[in-house]
Amino acid sequence: MDIPITGRLKEYSLPKVFTGIQKARKTGVLTLRKDSLQKKIYFKKGDAIFASSNYEDDRLGEMLLKAGKITVDQYDHAVGVMKNTGKRLGGILVELGFLSPKDLFWGVKFQVREIIYSLFLWEDGEYSFMEGDLPTEEVITLRMSIANLIYEGVKRIENWTRIKKESPPLDTVLHLSLDPMTLFQDIELAEEDRKILSLIDGKRTIKEIFNSSGMDNFKTLKAIYVLTTIGMAAVKAEEKEGEEPAVEILEEVLSAKPEGRKEELLIEKIHKFFNGLDDMNHYQVLGVDPGVSPSDIKKAYYRLSKKYHPDRHFESQEEGSQDELTAIFDRINKAYEVLGDDGRRAEYDLSLSRARLSSVAGKEESDFRSAEEQFRKGVEKLKKKNYKEASESFNQATELNPQKALYWSHLALSLSQIPKKLHDAEEACKRAIELEPRNDENYSNLGLFYLKAGLKKKAEAQFNEALKRNPKSQKALKGLKDLQK
C-alpha cells in the first residue's frame, strides 16, 4: 500500500485509502472510528465486498424502512421473531413473505453502499487496515466497483470550505490522466462532470475553467474536486515531452454513453484471451502488426485497456474471472511499456527476429517438406472448391511451419468460404500480415475479406495500408474502386 496501514483521515483522505488498498490488491478489513462510531469495510483482492456499522440507523431493517421496502408493522414483527430465534433479520423478512429474495439482495447492497457513502462525509477519524482472511460466516460477498463508490461518495460532499481546501489552487493547470486504470473505471459521469472533463486540456487553469464552464463556481469546483479525487484529472502532466495532447483519448472517455458502460464482456472471451497470454508476443497482445506506427500502438493500448479493465465487468464475472482480467490488464500494460518506448521496442524487435531465426533454423527439414506437401494438397483442393478439406491441409501446413505467411494467407482464403469460420479467417489473415508486414498482398487480402463481409471502413483501411507499402498495388486499387460501387 502507498499509505500507512493506520492513520487519520485528515492526513490521508478516504479515497486515497481506498485506492491504496485497491492498487495493492489487498484482502482484509478497513476499520474507521469517530467518537463512538465504528464502521468496517471488507476487501477481497482490492475489491470492496461488504460493510458493517455499529450505528443503529445503518442497520438493515432501518435501511429497508427508509427505502420504503417494508412497513413499521412488518419490521416490528420480524424483530420479534429475530429475538426469539436468533436468525438474521433479512432471512426472516423473506420467510414471512414481507420481502422477496431479490429485494433482500438489493437491500443488503443498498445498506452496504450507504454505510460506505456516509464515511465520505467524515472530515476526520481514525482508520486502520488489518490484512488477512475474512470472517466468512459474517460477511456476505458483494461485488462493488471501488471507483463508483468513491465517485458517488465524493459527490455527496456539499461543504464548500472542505472542497476548496482539498482541491488544487485556482491557478493550477489541470491535465487529463493518461493512466487507463483511472480513465476507464466503472464510472458513469454526470453531465456536469463530463462537461468539466472536456475543458481540461493541459492549458487552462482552474480559474479559467470557471470562466468557460457556464456553471456556477461551486458546481464547477465540485466537479473538479470529483475528477481529481477519482484520478481522471491530474495536476502533473503525464505526457512525454513534445507529445500531442491526448485528444482522441479524451474523446474515447467522453463518448462512452452511460447505457453502454455496462456492456458485458463474455466470460468465454476473457478465458480465451487469458489462456493464450503465454503464447503471445507484445504485438499479439495489443492486436497490432510489427510495422504499425506509435500512434496506432497507443490507440490499441487504450482500446484494450478500456475493454479489459477489471473494474468494468463486475456484473459479468464468474468465480476466478476477476483474476484473469487483472492478469490480462497487467499484460496489456507491460506490452505498451515496451512497444510505447522507441528504444525498448527496437530491442524487442531484434529479440523477436533472433527468436524467429532460431526457430526456423531448428526446424527439421522433413517438417518443411511435409508442410510444403500439405500446402500443395491444399491448393489442389482449393481449385476444386473443396474448402473444408483445403483448410485442413493449409492448417497442417501452418502447424508444421508456422513462420510462412503464404500458408496463412491460403488458410484464410479457404476459411473465408466456410460458414461460421469468418473470425478464424480474419485471424489467419492477420497472422500472415504479422509475418510479412511489408508485403502489400497480405493487406490487400485482408481488405478483400472485409469487403466481402460488408465491413467497408475496415476494408478501406487495409487497402490504404497496402498502398503505403506498394502505391501501384493493383489489388488494393481495385478494392478501393469496388468500395465506391
Side-chain angles (χ1 to χ4, degrees), residues 374-375 377-378 381 389-398:
Q374 288 297 331
F375 175 71
K377 287 181 180 179
K381 293 169 184 174
E389 290 188 12
S391 68
E392 291 172 354
S393 293
F394 291 137
N395 188 57
Q396 288 185 47
T398 61

Side-chain angles (χ1 to χ4, degrees), residues 161-371:
T161 304
R162 177 183 173 185
I163 290 175
K164 189 172 185 301
K165 181 181 177 182
E166 295 181 9
S167 296
L170 297 183
D171 60 354
T172 302
V173 175
L174 292 179
H175 301 262
L176 175 70
S177 169
L178 297 185
D179 181 359
M181 181 58 81
T182 57
L183 274 183
F184 300 126
Q185 301 170 90
D186 179 32
I187 299 174
E188 296 175 7
L189 293 177
E191 189 59 38
E192 61 266 24
D193 299 325
R194 292 163 63 86
K195 183 175 183 179
I196 297 303
L197 187 63
S198 70
L199 296 174
I200 296 174
D201 58 2
K203 298 175 183 177
R204 291 186 178 94
T205 63
I206 292 176
K207 192 171 183 179
E208 288 171 334
I209 292 175
F210 277 6
N211 298 331
S212 304
S213 70
M215 303 189 311
D216 65 62
N217 287 352
F218 178 68
K219 285 185 178 178
T220 302
L221 185 62
K222 185 174 178 180
I224 290 171
Y225 176 62
V226 168
L227 293 170
T228 53
T229 300
I230 62 178
M232 296 187 79
V235 172
K236 187 177 180 181
E238 299 176 34
E239 297 191 8
K240 298 176 183 177
E241 187 177 352
E243 193 172 288
E244 289 297 315
V247 176
E248 292 178 349
I249 298 168
L250 178 58
E251 289 177 349
E252 178 74 14
V253 175
L254 294 176
S255 66
K257 297 181 180 178
E259 61 269 22
R261 298 295 299 276
K262 296 294 184 182
E263 180 181 355
E264 289 192 356
L265 184 66
L266 294 177
I267 295 298
E268 292 79 6
K269 198 165 189 176
I270 297 173
H271 291 338
K272 184 177 180 180
F273 198 174
F274 173 76
N275 291 331
L277 285 178
D278 290 341
D279 298 322
M280 294 182 185
N281 62 40
H282 292 333
Y283 289 103
Q284 291 169 329
V285 168
L286 295 184
V288 297
D289 68 72
V292 76
S293 70
S295 174
D296 286 336
I297 287 177
K298 178 182 285 188
K299 289 177 186 176
Y301 168 57
Y302 281 100
R303 175 179 54 80
L304 288 172
S305 295
K306 178 180 178 181
K307 186 175 182 179
Y308 290 101
H309 194 299
D311 196 29
R312 297 171 65 86
H313 303 291
F314 283 95
E315 303 303 324
S316 63
Q317 290 181 32
E318 62 180 21
E319 188 66 29
S321 62
Q322 175 73 8
D323 292 338
E324 292 183 359
L325 278 167
T326 299
I328 291 170
F329 190 81
D330 288 345
R331 181 62 194 283
I332 290 168
N333 275 280
K334 183 179 179 181
Y336 182 68
E337 284 177 7
V338 174
L339 302 184
D341 181 279
D342 291 341
R344 294 182 68 182
R345 181 182 179 184
E347 291 179 6
Y348 184 70
D349 286 346
L350 183 60
S351 69
L352 282 183
S353 179
R354 287 171 176 168
R356 192 174 293 120
L357 288 172
S358 175
S359 175
V360 171
K363 265 287 187 184
E364 294 290 340
E365 191 175 339
S366 59
D367 285 348
F368 285 114
R369 286 199 299 267
S370 297

Side-chain angles (χ1 to χ4, degrees), residues 86-105:
K87 293 181 179 180
R88 288 179 180 268
L89 181 67
I92 293 170
L93 289 168
V94 172
E95 287 178 7
L96 294 173
F98 297 158
L99 206 66
S100 70
K102 183 178 179 181
D103 281 340
L104 174 60
F105 180 79

